[in-house]
Amino acid sequence: MFKLLFICLLVIVSCQNPENANEQENEQDTYSQYVDPNIGTAHSRWFFYTPGALPFGMAKLGPSTNGSLGNEQGWEATGYDSRDTTIEGFANLHEFQIGGFLFTGITGKLQTIPGAIENPDSGYRSRFDREDELASPGYYKVRLKDYEVTAELTATRRVGFHKYTYPASDSSYVILDIGNELGESGDVKNAEVSYNPENQTFTGWVSTYPKYVQKYQEGAEVKMFVAGKVNKKPVEAGTFIHEKHFKDVLQNSGEGVGLYLRFNTEQDESIEIKAGFSYTSLENAEANMEAEAKDLSFDEALASAREIWEGELSKIKVTDSSQTNKVKFYTGLYHALLGRGLASDVNGQFPENDGSVGQIPLDNSGNPTFNFYNTDAIWGGFWNLTQLWTIAWPEYYNDLVQTHLAVYKNSGWLGDGLANSRFVSGVGTNFVSLIIASAYQSGIRDYDVELAFKAAYENEVRYKDRIEGAGKTDLKGFINDGYIVYQPGWDTTPEGSAFSVSHTLEYCYSSYAVAQFAKALGKEKEYQELMQLADNWKNLYDAQTDFIRPKDTEGNYLNNFDPFEPWVGYQEGNAWQYTFYVPHQPDQLVEKMGEEKFVKRLDSIFTVSEKTKFGGEDIDAFAGLNYLYNQGNQPNLHIPYLFNFTNKPWLSQKWVRRICDEFYGTEPVHGYGYGQDEDQGQLGAWYNMAAMGLFDMKGLVEIDPSFQLTTPLFDEVEITTGWGSTVTIETDNNRHNNYYIQELLLDGNAYHSNSISLQKLKKDIKLKYKLGKEPNTAWFQID
């Protein structure tokens, strides 16, 4: 009885808006109430807005305002945009290069195409008002004005739940759009749908050819399967292909195929749909639904989703008087737990890279020993997501390593981005070896370590016959010549790259990471080889300008050099930004430039960048590419912490706090910058780490990894780590402009280092900071 009452209370409280959070009594507070999924929904990515989902789930439900409009280059689709005023329906699968199965409820004339934004009446699209919309972790609700239908969404891990509440009508429809391009899915190759009127069940599948699959694994396809059930018998059923309807034809196939069901409804009558998903087969989609939702109603699934989200969010408890900062923190944490979703079935089957179906080993109880996941490229994820997961979700991080090793075993290569195991790198590099090395050094090792090292080592040095899907196709020049040659254009080939400088710097960093992995395993030969490669950035450092610059085929620096210009040697950035991309050897970078010049340049960069909110105020994923600094994109995310490796480490405390206050917002437009690229929780996780005062420049790749310390944002943070410990972080005199550390106590004893080892955080410890308006220059002992 107590558990039932708790769940009911949780549902009621969690439905309230974050703005009303301060009206709750402390004993009624939930962490979910501080999550606002609508933050940053202007110009977000396809996979960003999925309120009807569980942490790391497969079923990711959310409204689609423009998901059917196409995705020319593979990344433009947003799916949901806060500036749109119509909803075309509710998509069930949202992943990098994966989108599928749009459902909706309508009344009146049967419509079977989404229709145009500029003419909503041309399809099943409906107008809606923001005040009729509610989103929270695990739940979404909106009223479709054109049809007087209220739609609600929730999910278990692999099952989506839809609830449509209709007016009195003899023409109330459920539309199941199966075979159309959606979000990042790319071209539809084929699709099929079938309906069984005896038990109101349906099945369907769609085969797609995403743009990045076309580039990185030509000829491959991404398949999605659905098996569902409707809780009421319709008075009419049929299939459709685009605008053409096939009444009483209950099985159909082809691009654009779908199913419609017509009902007679009374006023406020609800029709519920539950749909199981799989990336391997219809049988597994049915098995997933049977295992997770056989006897589960919508309301029961919702209560469970609320409870699960609350449990995960409460692993990091913050106490503070600032409601705004709580909303920023828990919304960021929500996105960090929402990206990179489950791709394996309850029986442990998963899609292999070669198109076959793989099997995860089962334990003695018949359960899979790990979960297999879809994942965007890890580009930059080592400065946010993996550090957060290491602390509180190491089991998920372990599964991610297992996922990549499964792909390696099947294909012979590590793949940076994965869509149903298909290679979808996106940026053409490959940092999987670095995150494997980091996992090992952090004590996350429940996998074949020798296989992991072999895969990581090959990713750094193996260039012969390297396939596009593994990225780093310009690796040969890096290995043999000590840097990558610049070639005009947009391509990366064995002869060079348009992004020659950024790739050289990235390969240096990952070589260093795997070198430490080799050293930890006693592999001295590989260690020495990789450490030599880690120094290659010095071959592009121009001492006359103090920029790391591109060189041509003759070994000369390019003429007409403009350090603000992106794309000429620098991927999604410029020389001002990428010159600081030496995270594995920051002390050597400081020495090369000279400490005084280094600090002055870096401090002035942030002083100027603050005027543009640290990355530009244009609503564009690439708004900050030609700026001095761009918090909205991965190559910059370590830069504020570089002061920790100089004689003025307190400047990291200052600028990290300013970025938290000004770059991050609580609005649909000003959320993660101004509509910039959040990338499956990366910018949210960066805020989480910054707010806790923890960050590692090197991405936890050292043998004894540690976090650099900056000023915690909150009065108190309590972390229930994934290692069974509790870490408490307290601040004294924590006011708006008091972002300088005056003193620090570790378990009551004076602590004079601006870093702390991960091993210490694996034990019960208490950090207590005293803050002030001016830096205490005598406190620090730089490690």
Side-chain angles (χ1 to χ4, degrees):
M1 176 62 72
F2 175 78
K3 183 176 180 182
L4 179 61
L5 289 172
F6 173 75
I7 292 174
C8 292
L9 175 63
L10 190 61
V11 171
I12 294 170
V13 174
S14 297
C15 287
Q16 299 184 13
N17 291 327
E19 292 83 353
N20 298 326
N22 58 350
E23 298 176 7
Q24 304 304 309
E25 297 296 330
N26 288 336
E27 61 266 26
Q28 293 180 321
D29 275 357
T30 69
Y31 298 97
S32 300
Q33 73 187 25
Y34 298 113
V35 176
D36 183 357
N38 289 81
I39 290 173
T41 48
H43 198 83
S44 56
R45 295 288 296 276
W46 161 248
F47 39 69
F48 180 79
Y49 192 70
T50 60
L54 293 187
F56 308 124
M58 176 187 293
K60 292 184 177 178
L61 280 61
S64 178
T65 64
N66 55 33
S68 66
L69 302 186
N71 192 36
E72 183 179 353
Q73 298 180 69
W75 58 268
E76 301 96 328
T78 61
Y80 178 91
D81 192 310
S82 60
R83 297 164 294 179
D84 292 338
T85 59
T86 61
I87 288 175
E88 58 191 9
F90 306 92
N92 289 275
L93 299 176
H94 292 80
E95 299 289 354
F96 182 53
Q97 299 299 289
I98 295 175
F101 308 132
L102 189 79
F103 298 174
T104 194
I106 66 173
T107 57
K109 177 185 176 183
L110 176 60
Q111 301 263 35
T112 54
I113 59 171
I117 284 183
E118 59 272 15
N119 182 18
D121 298 324
S122 61
Y124 50 67
R125 180 183 295 275
S126 174
R127 299 163 184 86
F128 75 106
D129 293 327
R130 296 290 167 191
E131 56 265 30
D132 292 331
E133 183 180 51
L134 177 63
S136 61
Y139 181 64
Y140 179 81
K141 178 180 180 180
V142 71
R143 181 174 176 270
L144 303 175
K145 289 174 63 177
D146 293 356
Y147 307 115
E148 297 182 27
V149 171
T150 297
E152 297 174 85
L153 312 173
T154 192
T156 62
R157 300 186 78 191
R158 300 174 179 86
V159 181
F161 289 75
H162 295 245
K163 184 177 182 180
Y164 299 106
T165 302
Y166 293 87
S169 174
D170 62 359
S171 300
S172 294
Y173 289 94
V174 164
I175 305 296
L176 308 179
D177 196 335
I178 303 297
N180 279 305
E181 179 177 356
L182 190 59
E184 292 186 359
S185 72
D187 302 330
V188 172
K189 300 176 73 173
N190 201 0
E192 184 175 292
V193 69
S194 180
Y195 176 70
N196 184 343
E198 298 301 317
N199 54 14
Q200 293 97 249
T201 60
F202 62 90
T203 59
W205 59 265
V206 60
S207 172
T208 64
Y209 195 23
K211 298 299 183 185
Y212 282 10
V213 172
Q214 294 177 34
K215 176 175 175 57
Y216 292 103
Q217 195 168 349
E218 186 178 2
E221 63 184 4
V222 170
K223 279 190 173 182
M224 295 159 270
F225 301 87
V226 59
K229 182 177 179 63
V230 184
N231 71 339
K232 181 178 180 177
K233 189 175 184 66
V235 296
E236 180 186 330
T239 55
F240 61 85
I241 296 181
H242 298 302
E243 299 99 327
K244 191 171 184 180
H245 305 157
F246 301 90
K247 182 179 178 181
D248 297 328
V249 176
L250 304 185
Q251 184 173 358
N252 214 331
S253 62
E255 186 269 332
V257 75
L259 173 71
Y260 73 85
L261 305 172
R262 182 171 68 86
F263 302 88
N264 292 329
T265 56
E266 298 178 357
Q267 183 66 36
D268 297 327
E269 181 180 357
S270 297
I271 294 174
E272 296 184 13
I273 307 165
K274 51 186 172 185
F277 305 103
S278 171
Y279 295 120
T280 60
S281 68
L282 288 175
E283 293 76 15
N284 280 345
E286 292 172 340
N288 290 341
M289 187 173 70
E290 180 78 7
E292 295 184 2
K294 179 181 179 181
D295 299 315
L296 208 61
S297 69
F298 182 96
D299 290 341
E300 290 168 334
L302 174 58
S304 175
R306 299 279 192 197
E307 187 174 16
I308 290 169
W309 270 111
E310 189 64 18
E312 296 302 312
L313 293 170
S314 66
K315 288 181 178 178
I316 305 179
K317 299 180 176 74
V318 302
T319 302
D320 201 78
S321 59
S322 171
Q323 303 300 308
T324 295
N325 287 342
K326 286 182 181 178
V327 169
K328 289 181 184 180
F329 185 88
Y330 284 107
T331 302
L333 189 59
Y334 163 77
H335 286 297
L337 298 177
L338 195 58
R340 303 168 195 270
L342 190 64
S344 53
D345 300 314
V346 291
N347 61 7
Q349 292 189 334
F350 67 96
E352 291 274 26
N353 177 267
D354 63 5
S356 63
V357 175
Q359 176 65 58
I360 297 168
L362 305 179
D363 62 20
N364 293 334
S365 300
N367 299 313
T369 54
F370 66 90
N371 293 310
F372 187 94
Y373 289 94
N374 282 307
T375 172
D376 194 355
I378 203 64
W379 205 52
F382 34 78
W383 287 324
N384 36 69
L385 290 171
T386 59
Q387 296 191 34
L388 183 66
W389 296 336
T390 295
I391 294 172
W393 290 274
E395 72 286 351
Y396 171 74
Y397 193 173
N398 194 90
D399 284 356
L400 195 65
V401 173
Q402 289 275 43
T403 293
H404 284 290
L405 292 180
V407 173
Y408 173 78
K409 285 190 286 187
N410 182 253
S411 69
W413 297 93
L414 290 174
D416 201 15
L418 302 174
N420 289 6
S421 293
R422 305 301 199 177
F423 295 130
V424 288
S425 173
V427 289
T429 62
N430 194 325
F431 273 111
V432 175
S433 49
L434 185 148
I435 69 159
I436 291 174
S438 174
Y440 179 84
Q441 306 290 28
S442 299
I444 299 168
R445 302 175 181 177
D446 188 16
Y447 45 82
D448 185 334
V449 171
E450 284 299 324
L451 177 70
F453 178 78
K454 180 176 184 290
Y457 173 72
E458 289 181 357
N459 193 45
E460 298 308 310
V461 302
R462 182 183 170 198
Y463 60 80
K464 186 177 181 181
D465 300 324
R466 193 172 184 104
I467 64 172
E468 185 121 20
K472 301 171 72 161
T473 52
D474 51 0
L475 187 60
K476 180 179 179 181
F478 177 79
I479 300 293
N480 294 338
D481 303 325
Y483 65 92
I484 297 166
V485 169
Y486 172 75
Q487 288 195 332
W490 293 88
D491 294 330
T492 294
T493 70
E495 285 69 47
S497 175
F499 316 125
S500 57
V501 175
S502 55
H503 285 189
T504 297
L505 296 171
E506 290 170 351
Y507 304 170
C508 289
Y509 178 26
S510 55
S511 292
Y512 180 90
V514 181
Q516 307 316 302
F517 193 7
K519 187 176 182 180
L521 295 177
K523 300 180 184 293
E524 184 65 21
K525 176 178 175 294
E526 291 88 347
Y527 169 73
Q528 294 294 341
E529 175 189 7
L530 291 164
M531 283 300 291
Q532 185 174 348
L533 295 175
D535 283 338
N536 279 351
W537 63 273
K538 299 171 185 176
N539 297 326
L540 295 180
Y541 190 96
D542 179 10
Q544 289 188 329
T545 63
D546 286 310
F547 284 108
I548 301 179
R549 294 178 52 185
K551 287 183 176 180
D552 61 21
T553 55
E554 302 299 319
N556 300 316
Y557 291 115
L558 295 188
N559 294 323
N560 303 317
F561 172 64
D562 178 359
F564 284 98
E565 185 175 10
W567 306 113
V568 180
Y570 311 92
Q571 189 164 14
E572 298 188 22
N574 60 35
W576 281 107
Q577 299 166 9
Y578 267 107
T579 293
F580 294 105
Y581 201 112
V582 190
H584 59 296
Q585 295 170 334
D587 51 342
Q588 295 185 35
L589 178 63
V590 172
E591 183 180 358
K592 265 222 177 271
M593 193 176 295
E595 189 164 45
E596 183 178 355
K597 182 188 295 184
F598 184 94
V599 172
K600 185 176 181 180
R601 176 188 280 192
L602 196 56
D603 192 42
S604 63
I605 282 173
F606 285 110
T607 300
V608 172
S609 298
E610 186 175 20
K611 298 175 182 177
T612 57
K613 295 292 192 297
F614 300 103
E617 298 177 79
D618 297 328
I619 303 177
D620 191 311
F622 295 138
L625 263 59
N626 58 353
Y627 284 40
L628 290 168
Y629 175 79
N630 181 17
Q631 176 69 20
N633 212 4
Q634 287 88 338
N636 294 246
L637 297 180
H638 66 297
I639 296 177
Y641 293 92
L642 280 167
F643 294 107
N644 271 326
F645 299 89
T646 73
N647 59 6
K648 293 187 178 180
W650 52 86
L651 288 174
S652 282
Q653 299 160 36
K654 171 184 176 179
W655 290 117
V656 169
R657 176 66 70 88
R658 293 277 183 90
I659 291 168
C660 287
D661 288 345
E662 298 179 29
F663 176 84
Y664 291 85
T666 57
E667 303 164 3
V669 174
H670 181 198
Y672 300 92
Y674 285 79
Q676 297 197 41
D677 194 350
E678 212 275 347
D679 268 340
Q680 289 192 310
Q682 285 203 34
L683 292 180
W686 189 96
Y687 184 93
N688 295 140
M689 298 303 297
M692 293 187 291
L694 301 170
F695 182 88
D696 183 30
M697 174 75 61
K698 298 184 181 182
L700 303 178
V701 303
E702 294 285 13
I703 290 177
D704 183 15
S706 61
F707 294 93
Q708 292 85 62
L709 300 175
T710 53
T711 312
L713 186 63
F714 298 105
D715 294 340
E716 182 176 322
V717 180
E718 182 183 288
I719 308 168
T720 302
T721 75
W723 307 92
S725 65
T726 300
V727 175
T728 303
I729 303 170
E730 294 182 359
T731 58
D732 181 35
N733 199 28
N734 185 9
R735 298 174 184 173
H736 178 64
N737 291 321
N738 289 7
Y739 36 67
Y740 293 114
I741 299 171
Q742 304 300 301
E743 62 181 51
L744 173 60
L745 301 177
L746 172 59
D747 292 333
N749 300 312
Y751 192 74
H752 289 280
S753 174
N754 66 341
S755 68
I756 188 168
S757 72
L758 173 61
Q759 290 304 317
K760 283 187 170 67
L761 298 181
K762 291 182 179 181
K763 302 174 182 178
D764 292 340
I765 64 167
K766 180 178 180 180
L767 292 166
K768 186 167 185 178
Y769 293 81
K770 183 178 180 180
L771 308 180
K773 289 187 177 181
E774 300 295 332
N776 179 1
T777 60
W779 177 77
F780 296 95
Q781 294 177 359
I782 301 173
D783 287 352

